[in-house]
């Protein structure tokens, strides 16, 4: 069971870590100063969540790996984030759509995880839920603004949805790890969460005059460590110091 | 109603300055006072924003989770400082977009320290410690600046700057106490950032064309050389306390004057960098301009959207 709990915690942690890292690339490059600050805030929240979750994962594993070792010293196949969060930032619209799909999943997910029988996960979920609600409000408002803004913004953001939608199902990937924990009431089932996700996404897209793509071909694999080409580069950058100067205090 | 003469207005203005009463946006002020402030505050705002780039360069490579979070928060603060300062500038009638375009066209300047590259993790320490440290020296007296909005912006900014300085010093201190490779990294960063940090206070008093007027108007409270000396006196003992060597062979304690004597600053280098010939001038402006250009469609969309919503609200 501990192996499964470790694996499950890593999946949540890595989503926060990798998306936090992606957003941190944008610090200093936002389309307006106010958005620079907002995206950095979200990045900070995600790095904070990742830290809490990785500390918990480290304590479950109990093998002298701390949160930093888990964050910086695994190889790509050992990262269990969903494919969605490792996708490159692209233009502002695609950064926002990626965030919107993720937040739409994360809000009901943390809401459900907050009543987990695992006290540590429940506590982290409660704390993260507050932040996530704010993130979702922010990303939803931007999807509406861009969708119902100019024809250029509408086209751009529609294109981002067409491209990124294929990765959403990886967020809901479920295997024996989840199923075992669901039966213990540690993990919530994805059924209700997916319903809420769909509802929110469709409502926002409608207000934004956008639509889901007809093509419903879906990608999964992230939870099993099967990633896109993008993750390796992200890790090369993120791990640089730890790899170049091993075993030092910073 | 009788017209108040220009002379009277000027007298009233100078009276306020003399009595340390703040000048507020709606108050009458001499054109040159307004121009001086717009120049100084916009330069300051640009420095905050361009200053995000050298440190932004290391956020994705920060060595652990805590450092990554602290650096993110630090650089985010600088964006906030930029915002307060652009707002303070707007109270003087300057248009934010125009001010930013002046930066991109090279018309407006920013602190030339940010034209030096951040090439190692230790530079995150050196920048926080020295660059934010020098900024504090400059900004603490600005909290008493005669122009109200600028003074108030500086009060908020200074609170955060001391956290910036501390996080930088902490980074460099850990390195200085670390492995030989880390110590070397720290010393190298100090070697590269020491002299440019001294240049941050601007030309020597004899060469500084704006200082006297700014002091008469109580925009500035200390001369460039006074501030530079304060910085040297505070920083040298800090370097010694962590076993790093300030790269100045002429540096020595002057018992009689109760201060450090330091070597000659290479003003030729300073002016070259100000003129645009520093190692990163072009990159910095290119990156800021790209952020603005890439964001154009986003700003247009936000504007179009809010217009649509306003129209809808009117109809309903
Ligand atoms: Fe600042
Ligand atoms: Fe600062």
């Amino acid at each position: 069971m501990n192996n499964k709990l470790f694996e499950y915690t890593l999946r949540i942690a890595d989503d926060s870590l990798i998306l936090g890292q992606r957003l941190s690339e944008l610090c200093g490059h936002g389309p307006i100063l106010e958005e620079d600050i907002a995206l950095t805030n979200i990045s900070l929240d995600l790095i904070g969540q990742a830290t809490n979750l990785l500390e918990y994962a480290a304590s479950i594993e109990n093998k002298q790996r701390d949160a930093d070792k888990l964050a910086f010293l695994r190889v790509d196949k050992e990262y269990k984030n969903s494919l969605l969060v490792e996708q490159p930032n692209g233009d502002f619209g695609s950064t926002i759509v990626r965030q919107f799909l993720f937040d739409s999943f994360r809000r009901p997910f943390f809401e459900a995880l907050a009543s987990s029988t695992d006290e540590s996960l429940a506590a982290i979920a409660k704390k993260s839920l507050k932040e996530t609600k704010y993130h979702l409000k922010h990303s939803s408002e931007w999807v509406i603004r861009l969708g119902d803004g100019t024809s250029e913004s509408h086209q751009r953001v529609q294109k981002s949805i067409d491209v990124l939608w294929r990765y959403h199902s990886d967020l809901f990937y479920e295997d024996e790890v989840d199923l075992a924990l669901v039966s213990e009431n540690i993990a919530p089932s994805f059924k209700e969460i997916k319903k809420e996700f769909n509802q929110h996404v469709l409502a926002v897209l409608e207000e934004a005059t956008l639509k889901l793509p007809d093509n419903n071909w879906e990608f999964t694999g992230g939870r099993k460590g099967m990633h896109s080409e993008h993750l390796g580069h992200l890790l090369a950058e993120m791990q640089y110091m730890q790899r170049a100067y091993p075993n030092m205090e910073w | 109603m009788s017209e108040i003469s220009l002379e009277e207005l000027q007298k009233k203005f100078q009276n306020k300055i003399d009595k340390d009463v703040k000048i507020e946006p709606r108050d009458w002020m001499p054109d040159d006072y307004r121009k001086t402030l717009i120049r100084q505050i916009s330069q300051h705002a640009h420095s905050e924003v361009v200053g995000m780039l050298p440190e932004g360069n290391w956020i994705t490579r920060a060595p652990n989770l805590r450092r990554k979070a602290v650096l993110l928060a630090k650089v985010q603060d600088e964006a906030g400082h930029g915002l307060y300062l652009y707002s303070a500038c707007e109270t003087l009638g300057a248009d934010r977009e125009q001010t930013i375009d002046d930066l991109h066209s090279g018309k407006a300047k920013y602190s030339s320290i940010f034209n030096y590259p951040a090439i190692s993790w230790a530079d995150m320490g050196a920048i926080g410690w020295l660059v934010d440290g020098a900024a504090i020296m400059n900004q603490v007296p600005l909290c008493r600046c005669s122009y109200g909005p600028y003074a108030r912006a500086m009060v908020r900014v200074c609170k955060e700057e001391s956290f910036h300085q501390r996080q930088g010093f902490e980074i460099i201190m850990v390195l200085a106490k670390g492995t030989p490779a880390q110590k070397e990294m720290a010393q190298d960063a100090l070697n590269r950032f020491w002299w440019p940090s001294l240049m941050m206070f601007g030309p020597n008093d004899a060469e500084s064309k704006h200082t006297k007027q700014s002091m008469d108007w109580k925009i500035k409270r200390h001369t460039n050389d006074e501030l530079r000396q304060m910085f040297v006196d505070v920083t040298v003992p800090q370097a010694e306390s962590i076993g790093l060597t300030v790269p100045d062979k002429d540096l020595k304690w002057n018992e009689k004057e109760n201060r450090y004597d330091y070597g000659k600053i290479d003003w030729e280098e300073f002016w070259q960098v100000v003129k645009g010939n520093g190692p990163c001038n072009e990159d910095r402006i290119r990156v800021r301009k790209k952020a603005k250009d890439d964001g154009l469609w986003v700003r247009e969309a936000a504007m179009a959207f809010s217009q649509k919503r306003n129209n809808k609200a009117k109809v309903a």
Side-chain angles (χ1 to χ4, degrees):
Chain A
M1 183 51 68
N2 261 2
N3 271 345
K4 291 200 166 99
L5 185 59
F6 175 70
E7 182 73 15
Y8 184 73
T9 307
L10 270 192
R11 290 176 181 183
I12 312 170
D14 287 345
D15 271 358
S16 295
L17 177 67
I18 301 302
L19 188 55
Q21 173 74 7
R22 270 288 181 238
L23 290 173
S24 79
E25 294 169 10
L26 295 171
C27 186
H29 308 277
I32 39 172
L33 223 34
E34 286 84 346
E35 264 326 286
D36 211 302
I37 293 173
L39 292 177
T40 304
N41 242 338
I42 298 170
S43 173
L44 264 171
D45 287 342
L46 291 168
I47 301 287
Q49 292 170 10
T51 306
N52 293 333
L53 287 158
L54 289 172
E55 276 167 2
Y56 183 49
S59 77
I60 301 167
E61 191 192 37
N62 201 13
K63 273 189 192 157
Q64 275 104 44
R65 280 204 290 186
D66 61 9
D68 282 324
K69 285 221 169 75
L70 286 173
F72 294 92
L73 290 172
R74 282 176 286 157
V75 297
D76 46 4
K77 283 193 95 169
E78 294 168 325
Y79 284 81
K80 301 300 166 62
N81 58 279
S82 66
L83 295 171
L84 178 69
V85 297
E86 70 197 45
Q87 298 308 308
N89 291 320
D91 68 6
F92 180 73
S94 106
T95 300
I96 285 294
V97 168
R98 185 186 62 198
Q99 193 66 39
F100 167 65
L101 294 176
F102 182 70
D103 298 338
S104 299
F105 158 73
R106 265 296 173 89
R107 194 205 34 87
F109 173 70
F110 277 143
E111 220 152 49
L113 189 65
S115 26
S116 165
T117 53
D118 183 294
E119 280 175 24
S120 304
L121 284 181
I124 294 172
K126 246 176 238 152
K127 187 173 174 290
S128 310
L129 177 61
K130 256 170 93 177
E131 300 161 353
T132 305
K133 282 182 177 165
Y134 165 77
H135 303 168
L136 178 61
K137 182 171 182 291
H138 175 261
S139 58
S140 303
E141 283 172 358
W142 268 109
V143 167
I144 295 167
R145 232 176 255 138
L146 297 176
D148 197 16
T150 61
S151 64
E152 181 186 3
S153 71
H154 177 89
Q155 272 170 24
R156 277 180 184 255
V157 78
Q158 181 62 58
K159 174 98 183 101
S160 300
I161 291 166
D162 295 348
V163 172
L164 290 169
W165 179 249
R166 70 194 63 170
Y167 299 112
H168 86 279
S169 38
D170 203 27
L171 295 167
F172 298 99
Y173 175 85
E174 216 164 26
D175 63 8
E176 70 286 350
V177 172
D178 305 82
L179 296 177
L181 295 177
V182 168
S183 72
E184 303 262 321
N185 290 321
I186 292 173
S189 140
F190 277 139
K191 234 169 108 193
E192 268 307 302
I193 296 170
K194 179 125 197 205
K195 231 168 88 186
E196 285 191 52
F197 169 88
N198 282 330
Q199 259 171 18
H200 182 77
V201 168
L202 288 174
V204 169
L205 291 190
E206 193 188 309
E207 196 180 342
T209 71
L210 297 164
K211 57 181 183 27
L212 289 178
D214 299 327
N215 186 345
N216 255 329
W217 183 245
E218 296 169 350
F219 288 74
T220 56
R223 303 298 186 206
K224 287 287 192 195
M226 298 294 289
H227 293 282
S228 61
E229 286 183 352
H230 304 296
L231 185 69
H233 295 282
L234 178 145
L235 294 178
E237 194 172 341
M238 186 172 85
Q239 298 185 342
Y240 164 70
M241 289 297 290
Q242 290 281 350
R243 298 288 182 195
Y245 303 92
N247 300 318
M248 297 184 196
E249 295 292 317
W250 302 96
Chain B
M1 227 167 63
S2 66
E3 281 271 299
I4 308 173
S5 74
L6 188 64
E7 225 169 293
E8 274 174 81
L9 286 169
Q10 234 142 12
K11 227 175 98 186
K12 234 175 104 183
F13 171 81
Q14 195 55 49
N15 232 326
K16 276 192 193 160
I17 299 273
D18 294 342
K19 286 190 188 141
D20 280 323
V21 175
K22 293 271 180 269
I23 307 298
E24 295 299 333
R26 286 156 178 275
D27 295 347
W28 184 89
M29 61 187 88
D31 274 352
D32 281 345
Y33 178 81
R34 186 185 299 275
K35 269 192 211 138
T36 300
L37 278 168
I38 290 178
R39 182 177 46 79
Q40 182 170 340
I41 301 173
S42 65
Q43 268 186 24
H44 193 164
H46 300 328
S47 302
E48 300 286 354
V49 174
V50 175
M52 295 168 72
L53 299 175
E55 287 170 299
N57 182 37
W58 278 91
I59 291 171
T60 55
R61 287 178 291 170
N64 62 34
L65 290 164
R66 187 170 81 88
R67 292 288 175 209
K68 191 187 289 292
V70 172
L71 189 60
L72 262 171
K74 195 263 183 193
V75 179
Q76 184 192 36
D77 280 352
E78 307 299 5
H81 298 173
L83 267 188
Y84 311 155
L85 287 162
Y86 283 125
S87 305
C89 216
E90 281 176 324
T91 65
L92 292 157
D95 174 60
R96 176 168 150 186
E97 292 307 307
Q98 183 58 49
T99 314
I100 293 171
D101 288 338
D102 286 347
L103 168 71
H104 296 170
S105 71
K107 203 176 138 201
K109 300 288 178 218
Y110 53 91
S111 183
S112 64
I113 188 89
F114 301 119
N115 292 316
Y116 290 85
I119 51 180
S120 84
W121 171 252
D123 292 7
M124 300 303 98
I127 291 175
W129 172 35
L130 302 174
V131 177
D132 290 82
I136 293 172
M137 285 293 165
N138 266 324
Q139 289 169 2
V140 167
L142 285 173
C143 296
R144 293 187 294 130
C145 162
S146 59
Y147 186 58
Y150 193 25
R152 288 188 290 273
M154 280 305 104
V155 172
R156 291 171 73 181
V157 166
C158 281
K159 275 188 202 143
E160 293 172 349
E161 291 301 350
S162 56
F163 146 65
H164 299 174
Q165 198 269 351
R166 261 181 290 128
Q167 66 90 34
F169 188 67
E170 201 200 302
I171 289 174
I172 210 101
M173 190 172 69
V174 169
L175 295 176
K177 287 181 181 158
T179 63
Q182 285 175 308
K183 186 163 181 182
E184 191 189 313
M185 198 190 282
Q187 181 64 53
D188 172 62
L190 175 58
N191 292 349
R192 284 179 289 107
F193 277 94
W194 175 255
W195 290 104
S197 300
L198 294 193
M199 294 174 196
M200 279 178 72
F201 297 94
N204 287 133
D205 294 347
E207 316 290 325
S208 172
K209 51 182 182 183
H210 303 297
T211 294
K212 180 163 183 325
Q213 180 59 270
S214 285
M215 288 186 67
D216 289 347
W217 278 332
K218 296 189 181 169
I219 295 173
K220 252 179 114 121
R221 300 276 181 161
H222 302 281
T223 70
N224 296 351
D225 286 330
E226 283 166 10
L227 291 165
R228 189 164 16 242
Q229 185 69 52
M230 282 154 70
F231 175 76
V232 171
D233 292 344
V234 169
T235 311
V236 170
Q238 291 172 344
E240 282 170 357
S241 76
I242 54 174
L244 295 182
T245 310
V246 172
D248 177 356
K249 58 180 175 18
D250 298 320
L251 185 78
K252 60 171 186 297
W253 178 248
N254 183 328
E255 193 66 55
K256 215 172 88 206
E257 303 283 343
N258 202 33
R259 60 168 166 76
Y260 283 95
D261 291 333
Y262 55 90
K264 249 179 79 102
I265 292 171
D266 183 354
W267 291 112
E268 174 60 19
E269 177 182 320
F270 174 75
W271 288 116
Q272 285 295 337
V273 178
V274 170
K275 270 186 236 155
N277 299 324
C280 300
N281 298 59
E282 274 162 41
D283 285 340
R284 300 295 185 237
I285 294 302
R286 183 179 48 74
V287 167
R288 286 310 310 164
K289 201 168 154 356
K290 183 173 187 302
K292 186 170 180 190
D293 294 347
D294 289 353
L296 179 65
W297 70 274
V298 177
R299 295 190 300 275
E300 283 174 352
M303 224 139 65
F305 175 78
S306 80
Q307 253 159 21
K308 279 186 199 173
R309 289 294 148 122
N310 281 343
N311 291 345
K312 258 191 203 165
K314 269 182 209 153
V315 171

